Amino acid sequence: MRTRLVWLGEAACVVSSLCKTVCHLSPPTDPLSEADMQVLLQATGCSSEMQRPLCKTGCLSERYRSFTGECNNRSHPKWGAANTPYSRWLPPEYEDIRGVPRGWDPEHTYYNYTLPPVRLISQNVLYTHNENISLDSSLSHLLVEWGQWIDHDFALTPQSPSTAAFRTGADCTRTCSRDTPCFPIQIPLSDPRTGIQSCMPFFRSAPSCVRSEAFTGATPHHHREQLNAITSFVDASMVYGSSSPMAAALRNHSSPLGVLALNDQASDQGLAYMPYLGTRLCGVAIIVCLWVKLPVFCCLGDSRANEHLGMIALHTLFLREHNRLVSELHLLNPHWSPDTLYQEARKIMGAIHQILTWEHYLPRVLGETPTSLLMPPYKGYDPEIDPSIANVFSAAAFRFAHVTVQPMVARLGPGYSLAPQHPPLPLHHSLFASWRVVQEGGIDPVLRGLLLSPAKLQMPGQMMVEELTERLFQAQGGMPLDLGALNLQRGRDHGLPGYSSWRGLCGLSVPNTTSDLAGILGNPGLAEKFLLLYGTSQNIDVWVGAISEPPLPGGRVGPLLACLLAKQFRALRDGDRFWWEREAVFTSTQRAQLHTVSLSRIICDNTHITRVPSDPFSRTVSPEDMLACSHPLIPHLNLSAWKEPDTDPSCGPIPRLQSGFSLLCDSVIYYQCGPGYQLIGPSSVTCDPNSYQWSPAPPICHGREWARGVCVCVCVREREILIKALQSTCMSLVLYSD
C-alpha cells in the first residue's frame, strides 16, 4: 500500500496540492482516507488503468479490433492494451525495494563493483567519427527507418508529467542533483564536455499504478513498473492512435469515405500532407510545437511523428495509403458507411504492417536460418500467450538499430540524382525539422534517399556515429544530448538486469572471465574494455552488451538480440486475436492477396516516384537497378476480394437502404442512415434459418430536413492527457526510442 501511494503521488504531483503532500512523504507514514485515494486515482488516471474493461460481444467485435487494444484477449482484456505496464521476463533489479534506478547512488556496488557513468561508456565504447563508418553491403537505410516506424506501433513510454524535482522544485533540465523525476546523466572529468556542462537532463519514466502480472509473488514487494502508453499489437496504431478520442481527431468526419484528415494549407504537388497541429485539438496542443519552436509545421498524429524527416515521410505515406484504400473500397462497396470503409482500411493497414515486418523485415535482421528456428510457422491464436511488450524489449533490445544509423540524411531528386534544391543533410539538421518536407521538395526526395542509401554497418569500434552521441538536437538550441547515454540511463531507470542475466534467460553461455567474454564478442580488445569499465560481465548494461555481439549468419544481430527479438515478435503474433493469418480474420482469397503486398508498391501508389527497387529493404547499388512501377515484380493489391456479396445463400438478395448504409457480417446485416436521415426500424436484421427470410423487416431512412448541413465539431475530450504525452515525448528528446 505504501509503495503504491508513492507511485500515485509521483504521478499526481503536478495536478493537486494533495498529491504534492504525498510526494514529500518518504516513506508515507499517514495512511490516506478512502476519499483521498479516490481523488488521487481520478487525478492521475489510475482509476481507468486499474478498471477491468467490459468487452463487447457480437459480430463487429470479432471483425474489428478496439483502438485501445482492450479485449483482444477476452480472458485477459488488458493484455497488450494501451496504458498498461510492460511485462517482465526477468524480475527487475533496482537499487532498493522502492524502485530507485541502478546507479542512482554512484557509490552503490553490484557484485562488488560500482556501475560506470553511462556517458563514460558512450565515449569509450560507442563513439564513432561520422567519417569512420562502414556501409552495409546488403541492406538499405529504409530497413533502419522501418525498425523505428514499427517501434512506434507498439511502444511508447510516457515520462514523468513533472519537469521539476518533487522535493526541491528544481528544474530537471538545469539541475545536476538526482531527485525524482530528475535522473541527470553526469559528465565524467575525462569527457570533452567537462567545463561546458556538468550533466545532461534525463527524466525518469512514469510509473504504472498497477503491478505487472509477470512474476507475481516472485519478489516480496510491489516493484516499480513502467507504462506502455499505446497498444502492443502491430495494428498501425501510429497511424490511427491508441484511443478513441485520438482516432476521432485524426479523421475527416465530413467525408463520406472514412478518410483520415488532410492538410488544408499545403500539398505535395497535389498529394496530401498530414494536417498541422492547432485548433483541431481545441487550441491547446499547439504548445507542444511552440516548445520546439515549430508552430507552423508540426503535424498532428503520433507524438513522435515530427522527430525527423524519415518519420514524417512514412507517416505521410501511410496516411495517403489509408485514403487510397478507402477510395477503392468505396467503389467496390458503395453501400458501406464511412465508418465501415475506415475500419476495413484500418484492418488492411494492420495486416500490411504485420506482413512487411514479419516476412520482409525480421528475416533480414535475424537472418533466414535463425528466423526459421526462432520463429516457427504460425499455428493459430493462443489466448494463453501475453502479447504485451516486455520492458527489456522496449528499453534495450529493440534499440539495436541505433548503431546502424547513417550520419547523413540523403535526399535525391528525380532519377535518384543529387539535387541542389534539397541537398544531403547532417542528421542533426533533420531532427524536428518537418518544415523541410513542406519547403524542400516533399517526401519524395527523402524516400529516394532511404531507398538508395545503404545502412551503416555495426562493427566494434564503429558503434554509434557522433551525430547521435555528440550532436543530438544541437540544431534545436541548447546543449546537445547523447543517444547512447540516454539508452543506457533508460535501462537503469527501468531496473533492467545486466547482460549476463539475459544470456542465461536465453540459454546462452554466461561469461565468467575475460576470455569467456572475448570468445562471445569475438573481440579481446572490446572484452577488456568492458571489464575495465564494469569490473564484471554481470554488470554490463544489457543494451550495450547485446549490440556488441557479432551478428548471426545472414542477420544483423547477435545471439542475445536474436533471442529477445524473436521471443517478443512471436508473442505479438501468436497472442493477437486479430493476426492476419488467423482463419476468422480474413478470407483465404483476401489472405492470398495480402501476401502480395510490398512497400515498393505503396511508395508507387502514393508518391510521384516512378522507379523503385523490387526489394526496398535490400541495398540497391545503382539507380539503373530500379524497376518501373508498372513492372510485374511490383504487383498491385487486388481488393476485389473485399467486395461484399449482394445475396445470401439462404435468404437471397441483401436488403439495401435508400439514403443509408449496410454491412453484412456473418448472417447479420447492420444498418446506418446517412447525414440528415433517421433510422426507422431495427438497426440490424438476421437471416432466419427456418423461414429463409431476413428478420425482422429491414428499416428505412427517414429524411430530417432540420439536420441537413449540420457541421459537427469534434473536440478531443481527453486533450490534457494527450498533450501531456506529446510534451513528455518532445521534452524528453529521446530519438529512436519508445
Side-chain angles (χ1 to χ4, degrees):
M1 178 65 174
R2 290 185 175 181
T3 304
R4 177 161 295 172
L5 291 181
V6 172
W7 293 354
L8 291 175
E10 178 176 329
C13 273
V14 294
V15 294
S16 77
S17 58
L18 171 63
C19 303
K20 291 181 180 178
T21 302
V22 174
C23 290
H24 287 280
L25 300 175
S26 179
T29 55
D30 300 322
L32 297 181
S33 68
E34 184 63 29
D36 288 343
M37 281 296 296
Q38 289 304 315
V39 171
L40 279 172
L41 288 171
Q42 291 295 329
T44 60
C46 288
S47 57
S48 60
E49 186 185 340
M50 299 168 68
Q51 186 177 5
R52 182 183 174 92
L54 295 176
C55 296
K56 296 179 181 180
T57 58
C59 183
L60 294 182
S61 68
E62 296 292 335
R63 185 159 176 159
Y64 306 126
R65 60 171 86 233
S66 65
F67 288 110
T68 62
E70 291 179 339
C71 299
N72 187 303
N73 187 310
R74 295 193 175 276
S75 299
H76 305 278
K78 286 284 191 178
W79 277 6
N83 296 312
T84 57
Y86 286 112
S87 64
R88 292 273 183 179
W89 295 340
L90 286 176
E93 293 183 7
Y94 289 111
E95 201 152 281
D96 67 8
I97 62 173
R98 294 179 299 160
V100 169
R102 289 164 59 89
W104 182 267
D105 176 4
E107 302 303 316
H108 187 89
T109 59
Y110 300 82
Y111 303 101
N112 299 318
Y113 293 94
T114 59
L115 295 180
V118 293
R119 174 67 181 168
L120 187 65
I121 301 166
S122 177
Q123 283 284 291
N124 283 271
V125 177
L126 300 174
Y127 175 84
T128 303
H129 285 289
N130 286 341
E131 298 77 17
N132 185 31
I133 63 170
S134 299
L135 302 180
D136 197 308
S137 62
S138 301
L139 302 179
S140 75
H141 210 275
L142 186 56
L143 181 93
V144 179
E145 204 67 43
W146 187 264
Q148 187 188 5
W149 172 249
I150 205 70
D151 175 72
H152 290 186
D153 194 0
F154 49 54
L156 171 61
T157 308
Q159 296 176 14
S160 170
S162 175
T163 61
F166 294 150
R167 296 180 184 276
T168 65
D171 184 347
C172 287
T173 63
R174 299 180 181 274
T175 183
C176 287
S177 299
R178 297 187 173 185
D179 185 357
T180 297
C182 316
F183 185 24
I185 295 170
Q186 303 298 322
I187 303 297
L189 294 177
S190 59
D191 197 294
R193 298 194 191 192
T194 301
I196 302 175
Q197 61 183 135
S198 301
C199 64
M200 295 180 195
F202 182 93
F203 298 85
R204 294 203 69 186
S205 298
S208 169
C209 306
V210 297
R211 68 183 298 192
S212 171
E213 292 185 34
F215 296 99
T216 301
T219 53
H221 301 279
H222 292 271
H223 65 255
R224 180 185 179 106
E225 194 53 77
Q226 291 74 33
L227 277 171
N228 188 1
I230 61 177
T231 70
S232 294
F233 304 103
V234 176
D235 54 3
S237 60
M238 67 292 216
V239 177
Y240 300 101
S242 289
S243 71
S244 295
M246 184 55 157
L250 294 171
R251 282 185 63 177
N252 179 352
H253 293 271
S254 64
S255 168
L257 297 183
V259 297
L260 294 173
L262 306 178
N263 194 311
D264 58 5
Q265 301 177 46
S267 73
D268 185 359
Q269 302 176 64
L271 297 178
Y273 282 130
M274 298 171 66
Y276 295 146
L277 271 170
T279 56
R280 185 175 298 280
L281 292 181
C282 307
V284 293
I286 193 66
I287 61 175
V288 179
C289 291
L290 290 174
W291 190 86
V292 294
K293 301 178 181 178
L294 295 174
V296 177
F297 296 105
C298 196
C299 295
L300 176 64
D302 185 281
S303 56
R304 300 156 292 184
N306 298 277
E307 278 186 357
H308 63 100
L309 300 186
M311 278 298 97
I312 277 286
L314 288 177
H315 271 282
T316 305
L317 182 72
F318 282 102
L319 175 145
R320 295 174 185 174
E321 175 66 1
H322 169 90
N323 289 355
R324 189 193 69 82
L325 288 171
V326 296
S327 296
E328 288 203 16
L329 290 170
H330 174 68
L331 294 176
L332 289 168
N333 301 289
H335 55 277
W336 277 359
S337 70
D339 286 342
T340 298
L341 291 167
Y342 169 86
Q343 290 288 7
E344 288 291 329
R346 173 175 172 249
K347 184 176 178 180
I348 293 170
M349 285 269 280
I352 287 171
H353 281 80
Q354 291 174 355
I355 293 165
L356 294 180
T357 301
W358 268 259
E359 298 190 12
H360 298 241
Y361 172 80
L362 280 176
R364 288 164 175 79
V365 170
L366 302 179
E368 293 285 353
T369 301
T371 299
S372 62
L373 294 174
L374 297 170
M375 192 87 60
Y378 181 66
K379 295 181 179 179
Y381 170 59
D382 186 344
E384 297 306 311
I385 291 180
D386 184 358
S388 301
I389 296 296
N391 209 314
V392 67
F393 180 83
S394 173
F398 209 56
R399 302 185 183 208
F400 75 92
H402 297 175
V403 293
T404 64
V405 175
Q406 280 262 29
M408 295 293 293
V409 176
R411 297 185 295 173
L412 299 172
Y416 292 86
S417 60
L418 290 173
Q421 63 269 35
H422 33 72
L425 289 171
L427 179 61
H428 70 282
H429 281 298
S430 79
L431 310 181
F432 284 103
S434 48
W435 61 269
R436 291 186 182 276
V437 171
V438 178
Q439 293 189 349
E440 298 180 0
I443 68 171
D444 293 8
V446 179
L447 289 172
R448 289 192 198 99
L450 292 171
L451 287 168
L452 195 61
S453 298
K456 171 190 165 294
L457 193 64
Q458 185 273 335
M459 298 174 62
Q462 298 183 20
M463 292 282 203
M464 184 175 282
V465 295
E466 59 185 293
E467 286 291 308
L468 295 176
T469 63
E470 306 305 315
R471 298 173 185 169
L472 188 64
F473 299 109
Q474 184 179 39
Q476 284 67 44
M479 289 293 179
L481 301 180
D482 175 351
L483 180 60
L486 291 171
N487 284 347
L488 293 165
Q489 195 83 331
R490 186 66 61 199
R492 295 181 181 185
D493 174 33
H494 288 207
L496 298 183
Y499 171 67
S500 292
S501 297
W502 296 104
R503 292 267 308 177
L505 173 76
C506 287
L508 302 169
S509 62
V510 175
N512 294 311
T513 65
T514 304
S515 60
D516 289 344
L517 185 59
I520 290 171
L521 301 182
N523 189 307
L526 182 58
E528 291 175 3
K529 188 178 291 186
F530 270 132
L531 294 181
L532 185 63
L533 287 165
Y534 286 96
T536 171
S537 60
Q538 292 172 303
N539 284 348
I540 296 174
D541 292 280
V542 58
W543 175 71
V544 73
I547 62 173
S548 299
E549 294 182 352
L552 294 172
R556 291 298 179 270
V557 296
L560 177 55
L561 280 173
C563 164
L564 298 177
L565 267 58
K567 182 177 174 68
Q568 182 68 76
F569 279 102
R570 187 172 179 183
L572 286 171
R573 180 192 69 178
D574 297 347
D576 184 358
R577 185 162 59 91
F578 293 94
W579 178 255
W580 80 278
E581 289 177 285
R582 189 178 178 223
E583 296 256 342
V585 175
F586 292 102
T587 67
S588 58
T589 307
Q590 289 171 343
R591 289 195 301 271
Q593 278 303 314
L594 286 170
H595 207 266
T596 68
V597 300
S598 76
L599 189 51
S600 286
R601 182 73 257 164
I602 293 171
I603 292 172
C604 284
D605 287 341
N606 297 285
T607 69
H608 301 101
I609 296 173
T610 59
R611 297 185 66 83
V612 292
S614 59
D615 178 3
F617 290 156
S618 293
R619 180 178 180 181
T620 304
V621 177
S622 170
E624 285 72 32
D625 297 328
M626 301 289 181
L627 302 177
C629 285
S630 58
H631 197 282
L633 291 177
I634 317 293
H636 289 272
L637 172 61
N638 186 345
L639 291 177
S640 61
W642 277 261
K643 180 173 173 55
E644 189 176 277
D646 293 321
T647 61
D648 180 84
S650 300
C651 291
I654 307 293
R656 306 291 187 199
L657 291 186
Q658 186 175 0
S659 305
F661 309 107
S662 62
L663 171 66
L664 177 64
C665 191
D666 290 340
S667 295
V668 180
I669 307 173
Y670 294 88
Y671 292 107
Q672 181 181 344
C673 289
Y677 292 86
Q678 182 178 9
L679 190 72
I680 305 298
S683 60
S684 65
V685 298
T686 304
C687 179
D688 188 330
N690 297 316
S691 64
Y692 301 107
Q693 293 182 342
W694 298 103
S695 178
I700 62 171
C701 288
H702 181 68
R704 295 184 298 170
E705 295 296 330
W706 60 269
R708 295 184 183 180
V710 172
C711 177
V712 179
C713 177
V714 179
C715 176
V716 178
R717 180 166 49 89
E718 299 173 350
R719 60 189 181 276
E720 290 86 1
I721 296 174
L722 172 64
I723 296 312
K724 283 179 184 177
L726 289 168
Q727 284 177 301
S728 173
T729 303
C730 285
M731 288 188 286
S732 66
L733 302 181
V734 181
L735 182 68
Y736 302 115
S737 69
D738 307 333

